Amino acid sequence: MSNNLNGKKVVIFGAGEMAMEYAKVLQDLSVTLTIIGRSKIGVKKFFEETGIRALENSVSSWEKLS
C-alpha cells in the first residue's frame, strides 16, 4: 500500500478521543502533526494521552502559525 501522506503536514482540529486515534496513526506514518484544541483542559489531556503538544484557542492559534 502506498503512503501518500509521507512527508506531509497535517492539521487536526480537535483534541478529543478521535483526534487521539488519528494522531497515533499519523505519527506511525511519520506525518508532521499540528493539533488544534479549544480548551486548556482538552489540550492538556491530549498531551497526557499522546505525548504530543497541542495548541489551544482553536483556529486563532493555527492562523498565527500560517
Side-chain angles (χ1 to χ4, degrees):
M1 183 161 105
S2 68
N3 181 357
N4 295 330
L5 291 174
N6 195 15
K8 303 283 184 173
K9 295 180 181 179
V10 174
V11 178
I12 298 176
F13 290 93
E17 297 294 326
M18 199 67 221
M20 290 181 202
E21 296 303 317
Y22 278 124
K24 290 176 190 175
V25 171
L26 292 168
Q27 230 182 0
D28 285 344
L29 294 173
S30 299
V31 173
T32 301
L33 296 174
T34 301
I35 312 299
I36 310 296
R38 281 186 290 188
S39 69
K40 189 176 283 191
I41 293 168
V43 167
K44 182 181 176 190
K45 182 179 177 189
F46 187 88
F47 177 71
E48 290 170 353
E49 295 287 326
T50 65
I52 301 169
R53 297 237 179 248
L55 300 172
E56 64 179 277
N57 296 328
S58 200
V59 178
S60 62
S61 294
W62 179 62
E63 288 174 330
K64 290 176 186 176
L65 290 176
S66 297

